[in-house]
Amino acid sequence: AHAHGARAARAMALVRAAAGGPPPPASLEAELARGAAARFPLTGADLVAAGMRPGPALGDALETAKRRWIASNFSLDKAALLGEVLDKGHDR
């Protein structure tokens, strides 16, 4: 729901079930609403303010942080994500 919206995610869950996959969970609507409302808390400006230089490495770090945030089920906040990026020693 985060990437393509609740409507598309709902349709994917229903198609998957219709194709013989597992039925959508009872919590589907709540999960869709949560994913659709999720806003990535870290920006390139945050990384620059933390000392990273603008450029491809910054974009890579931001993309890696976004994947981690999604994998965390949107639970990592700005401070945690920024800490992970800086701990990895991305180009500063």
Side-chain angles (χ1 to χ4, degrees):
H2 170 71
H4 303 290
R7 185 175 183 183
R10 183 180 304 104
M12 282 189 349
L14 295 174
V15 167
R16 202 175 295 134
S27 61
L28 178 66
E29 291 304 319
E31 291 176 28
L32 292 175
R34 184 168 182 258
R39 297 292 174 256
F40 184 53
L42 194 62
T43 67
D46 295 324
L47 298 180
V48 170
M52 286 190 74
R53 288 184 295 229
L58 187 144
D60 292 344
L62 200 55
E63 185 58 37
T64 298
K66 188 168 189 176
R67 284 195 301 273
R68 277 282 298 126
W69 174 71
I70 292 169
S72 79
N73 202 21
F74 315 113
S75 66
L76 294 175
D77 63 9
K78 181 191 276 189
L81 292 165
L82 188 58
E84 284 192 12
V85 168
L86 297 178
D87 286 347
K88 292 199 184 310
H90 287 279
D91 184 28
R92 288 199 254 170

